[in-house]
């Protein structure tokens, strides 16, 4: 299959591109390398040494004998070039990872809020209009987020896959309707994903575009069977306060002797998925597209839910780390329940990788191997959700660090 991977230089997009190439698909990446540029802006880098894009692609050709194409293009601003690429390549499937994806970065300041909205909303809308304008009948798989549902809104009710059945009172009695699950974003970034959902619903209804929206949980882990084949293929590992996600951060913090940075009580429960399952889920979604005229297919792409404090305690116990309970820089519920339906992926053959299966070892090993590259001044989360909120810096100064 001819597959276009938008955002294919990123943490999820790179291993997905290699996986699909390895499985025989003809892969072309589009990326404007904005994520690498944000590293420069934040004066931080991936814990793992990621190579320049051309070197990565060359290494893949050497180890696999397969070519992956690369086009440097900004989806949010280069609409005409996007139209040309779609017309020339005529992809059968498009996977859309190309958005600013960090919630803390999106709350950092006014510039970052505006950039996140401008970049994400325009990128998605440009793609949808370009598909209509070119008549390219590719199925579109978008990486959305569990965060569109919010946390704790429906108490202990399981989160359904995208749609909720509701009863609407009418003068003639109640009627049943299926609606998009109410959106309850917790950051400007998450808000852009809820806007994406509406655009998808409209273009599926109006133009018959074939769209799958994957509501993905927090991705953890680093390597896949493909990225591990050569050090030049290594995946990125974000650990800083803006881009690092919680489980990888805890692993890295334990590896360098930094206290585990639990926000608030640690009673937040979140959905997780390992990067190896991310790439498998995406192939499943790409090979099972909806039909023209179908509503947007929504699948919850996660394998397990954990309370953050349980994760912190498990890592602290096995790696001998301390736990620091820090003022929460975010506006979020201190505690929530979370039960998530993921029946569709299980029915389509996903065999979930779970925390208990030794993959923590891989995370520990990667974090320990590259710990000398860590800048400890970048670990504490500094982006606060509202001006005046307390940050953790003073508190952490009193705690032992590496
Ligand atoms: P990432 O930042 O590592 O990768 C995103 C890639 O898109 C980067 O390489 C970036 O340069 C590129 N990009 C951004 N804007 C672009 C534009 N306008 N034009 C062209 N390229 C652009 O992020 P990631 O962790 O790989 O996440 C990928 C997608 O998956 C995101 O949409 C994110 O919302 C979603 N997601 C990620 C996670 C996670 O835990 N990492 C969880 C759920 C959902
Ligand atoms: N947290 C800590 N300590 C830390 C870092 C985070 O306690 O050092 C807490 C946060 O306060 C939050 C939870 O851990 O309660 C998750 O934070 P995160 O940074 O791991 O994840 P999040 O901001 O939700 O975003 C990540 C990805 C995003 C994706 C989302 C999936 O960056 O792209 O959409 O996970 S989900 O959370 O399911 O919406």
């Amino acid at each position: 299959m001819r597959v276009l991977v938008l955002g294919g230089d990123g943490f999820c997009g790179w291993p997905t591109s290699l996986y699909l190439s390895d499985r025989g698909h003809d892969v072309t990446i589009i990326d404007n390398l904005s994520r690498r540029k944000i590293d420069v802006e934040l004066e931080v880098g991936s814990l793992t040494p990621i190579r320049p894009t051309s070197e990565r692609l060359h290494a893949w050709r050497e180890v696999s004998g397969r070519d992956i194409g690369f086009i440097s293009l900004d989806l949010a601003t280069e609409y005409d070039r996007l139209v040309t690429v779609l017309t020339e390549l005529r992809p059968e499937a498009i996977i859309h990872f190309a958005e600013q994806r960090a919630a803390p970065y999106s709350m950092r300041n006014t510039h970052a809020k505006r950039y996140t909205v401008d970049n994400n909303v325009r990128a998605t809308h440009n793609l949808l209009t370009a598909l209509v304008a070119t008549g390219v009948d590719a199925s579109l798989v978008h990486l959305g987020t569990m965060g569109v549902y919010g946390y704790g809104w429906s108490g202990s009710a399981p989160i359904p896959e995208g749609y909720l059945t509701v009863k609407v009172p009418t003068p003639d009695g109640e009627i049943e309707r299926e609606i998009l699950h109410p959106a309850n974003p917790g950051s400007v970034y998450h808000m852009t994903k809820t806007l994406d959902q509406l655009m998808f619903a409209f273009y599926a209804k109006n133009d018959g575009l074939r769209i799958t929206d994957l509501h993905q949980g927090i991705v953890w882990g680093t390597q896949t069977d493909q990225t591990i084949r050569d050090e030049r293929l290594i995946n990125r590992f974000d650990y800083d306060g803006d881009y690092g996600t919680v489980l990888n951060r805890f692993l890295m913090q334990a590896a360098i002797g930094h206290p585990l940075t639990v926000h608030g009580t640690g009673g937040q429960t979140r959905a997780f998925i390992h990067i190896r399952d991310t790439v498998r889920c995406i192939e499943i979604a790409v090979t099972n597209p909806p039909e023209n005229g179908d509503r947007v297919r929504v699948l919850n792409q996660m394998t397990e839910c954990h309370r953050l404090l349980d994760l912190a305690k498990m890592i602290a116990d096995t790696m001998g780390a301390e736990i620091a309970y820090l003022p929460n820089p975010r506006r979020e519920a201190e505690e929530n329940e979370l039960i998530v339906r993921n029946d569709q992926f299980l029915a389509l053959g996903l065999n979930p990788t779970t925390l208990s299966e030794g993959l923590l070892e891989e995370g520990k090993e990667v974090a320990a191997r590259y710990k000398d590259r860590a800048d400890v001044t970048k670990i504490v989360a500094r982006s606060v959700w509202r001006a005046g909120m307390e940050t953790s810096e003073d508190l952490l100064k009193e705690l032992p660090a590496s």
Side-chain angles (χ1 to χ4, degrees):
M1 199 184 275
R2 277 188 313 285
V3 186
L4 203 49
V5 182
L6 314 178
D9 187 55
F11 169 60
C12 298
W14 175 244
T16 301
S17 300
L18 299 189
Y19 182 76
L20 294 177
S21 174
D22 209 24
R23 304 273 290 171
H25 299 288
D26 179 5
V27 176
T28 301
I29 290 173
I30 286 184
D31 203 299
N32 67 349
L33 306 186
S34 51
R35 179 67 193 87
R36 292 179 186 247
K37 290 168 196 155
I38 290 175
D39 271 349
V40 175
E41 174 194 333
L42 298 179
E43 299 184 344
V44 71
S46 163
L47 188 68
T48 48
I50 52 165
R51 300 305 180 109
T53 315
S54 59
E55 195 180 334
R56 280 178 146 185
L57 297 171
H58 180 75
W60 179 243
R61 194 178 309 122
E62 267 183 22
V63 303
S64 72
R66 297 192 62 84
D67 277 316
I68 293 180
F70 179 78
I71 299 168
S72 173
L73 190 160
D74 185 336
L75 289 162
T77 59
E78 296 184 276
Y79 177 78
D80 292 340
R81 283 191 65 216
L82 174 62
V83 166
T84 306
V85 169
L86 289 178
T87 310
E88 284 175 3
L89 285 184
R90 301 207 83 77
E92 292 153 283
I94 300 174
I95 308 167
H96 177 22
F97 295 99
E99 297 184 78
Q100 192 299 101
R101 70 102 176 130
Y105 183 81
S106 79
M107 302 302 289
R108 187 176 173 78
N109 53 36
T110 306
H111 165 78
K113 288 178 188 177
R114 295 181 63 233
Y115 165 70
T116 301
V117 171
D118 290 349
N119 185 63
N120 295 2
V121 174
R122 289 174 75 187
T124 298
H125 191 254
N126 279 348
L127 175 62
L128 294 168
T129 44
L131 284 172
V132 174
T134 56
V136 168
D137 183 29
S139 80
L140 171 60
V141 173
H142 170 251
L143 272 292
T145 173
M146 284 297 304
V148 297
Y149 302 114
Y151 295 101
W153 178 81
S154 52
S156 57
I159 300 215
E161 302 207 68
Y163 299 93
L164 189 66
T165 308
V166 295
K167 292 201 164 74
V168 186
T170 77
D172 305 320
E174 281 183 343
I175 53 169
E176 233 177 51
R177 287 283 179 270
E178 266 209 317
I179 59 167
L180 260 183
H181 189 286
N184 186 17
S187 71
V188 166
Y189 152 71
H190 286 100
M191 184 182 78
T192 65
K193 294 285 181 177
T194 71
L195 298 172
D196 284 345
Q197 285 196 107
L198 289 180
M199 293 191 273
F200 295 143
F202 175 76
Y203 279 94
K205 181 181 73 171
N206 194 63
D207 298 285
L209 296 191
R210 297 181 293 132
I211 303 172
T212 304
D213 200 2
L214 303 174
H215 289 184
Q216 183 169 240
I218 301 169
V219 183
W220 66 284
T222 314
Q223 298 279 51
T224 60
D225 289 344
Q226 290 72 37
T227 64
I228 211 157
R229 285 194 208 164
D230 187 302
E231 200 179 6
R232 293 169 295 170
L233 300 173
I234 199 164
N235 199 13
R236 61 179 304 132
F237 186 127
D238 294 307
Y239 68 92
D240 63 286
D242 274 359
Y243 275 88
T245 50
V246 65
L247 181 48
N248 277 1
R249 268 164 70 75
F250 286 171
L251 287 169
M252 175 272 179
Q253 291 164 358
I256 67 164
H258 190 284
L260 307 189
T261 54
V262 170
H263 293 165
T265 62
Q268 306 94 318
T269 304
R270 294 291 182 270
F272 290 86
I273 182 166
H274 193 272
I275 188 71
R276 293 177 187 215
D277 281 348
T278 290
V279 302
R280 287 204 289 252
C281 284
I282 288 166
E283 190 190 30
I284 291 173
V286 162
T287 50
N288 291 278
E291 303 285 324
N292 295 102
D294 284 357
R295 71 178 183 184
V296 177
R297 177 174 295 167
V298 181
L299 292 89
N300 290 338
Q301 185 163 307
M302 49 70 67
T303 54
E304 53 191 333
C305 291
H306 292 284
R307 204 166 63 115
L308 302 186
L309 188 55
D310 296 336
L311 292 177
K313 282 185 173 157
M314 182 177 68
I315 292 170
D317 287 349
T318 56
M319 294 176 74
E322 281 190 54
I323 295 178
Y325 294 88
L326 302 178
N328 196 338
R330 308 186 184 201
R331 293 195 73 205
E332 60 185 1
E334 277 202 4
E335 297 183 4
N336 65 285
E337 294 186 65
L338 189 63
I339 301 167
V340 180
R341 306 294 300 261
N342 63 346
D343 314 55
Q344 295 184 80
F345 270 126
L346 296 179
L348 290 166
L350 177 70
N351 180 17
T353 308
T354 56
L355 266 174
S356 53
E357 286 175 24
L359 278 164
L360 279 180
E361 288 303 321
E362 187 245 281
K364 287 183 214 163
E365 194 267 317
V366 171
R369 183 158 22 124
Y370 297 109
K371 67 180 186 179
D372 292 342
R373 290 172 49 84
D375 177 349
V376 289
T377 68
K378 300 294 183 186
I379 291 178
V380 173
R382 289 182 175 76
S383 295
V384 290
W385 260 230
R386 273 200 315 203
M389 283 174 87
E390 203 180 350
T391 69
S392 326
E393 285 178 71
D394 291 338
L395 206 155
L396 258 186
K397 278 184 199 139
E398 292 157 23
L399 292 163
S402 57

